[in-house]
Amino acid sequence: MNDVLDRLAEVLESRKGADPDSSYVAKLYAKGLDAILKKVGEEATETVMAAKDGVPDKLVYEVADLWFHTLVLLAQQGLGPRQVLDELDRRFGLSGLTEKAGRQG
């Protein structure tokens, strides 16, 4: 499964220098952080709405859109799925309450 994330991260990275007219992702990068954040927010809202609708296929579709745009955000910020997976791995086996209590800020 991580292979899919790694391959997608490579593609997203390759789009950073691409002509904005050549791809959707290149166009998002060219528009900047605010446009990317807007897309993440839109996709999060659509994911919530799909969950409320109770149609599994629709929820999967919207979560895929949300993950995709979140990966675009990470790439724009110089990060990738590896950092997120490492953080999830770090939390594995921790009580959620313990992990939350250990956060600073």
Side-chain angles (χ1 to χ4, degrees):
M1 182 168 71
N2 294 351
D3 183 52
V4 172
L5 293 176
D6 291 338
R7 287 184 299 148
L8 184 52
E10 287 176 21
V11 170
L12 295 177
E13 194 64 32
S14 75
R15 298 293 195 269
K16 282 185 175 180
D19 179 347
D21 292 330
S22 69
S23 84
Y24 170 74
V25 172
K27 188 175 289 192
L28 269 179
Y29 287 144
K31 288 181 178 181
L33 180 60
D34 286 346
I36 296 168
L37 293 174
K38 182 178 177 183
K39 282 304 296 181
V40 171
E42 288 172 7
E43 298 304 340
T45 299
E46 290 172 8
T47 298
V48 170
M49 292 167 48
K52 293 287 281 180
D53 289 345
V55 179
D57 288 346
K58 186 174 179 184
L59 178 57
V60 168
Y61 181 88
E62 294 301 342
V63 169
D65 278 352
L66 177 59
W67 285 15
F68 176 83
H69 287 90
T70 302
L71 289 168
V72 171
L73 172 62
L74 286 170
Q76 192 270 346
Q77 295 288 304
L79 300 166
R82 176 58 37 212
Q83 286 92 345
V84 177
L85 292 172
D86 288 348
E87 176 61 16
L88 289 172
D89 188 52
R90 183 191 70 78
R91 294 180 189 185
F92 194 82
L94 287 178
S95 157
L97 296 175
T98 302
E99 191 280 328
K100 187 173 182 179
R103 292 184 202 165
Q104 296 183 342

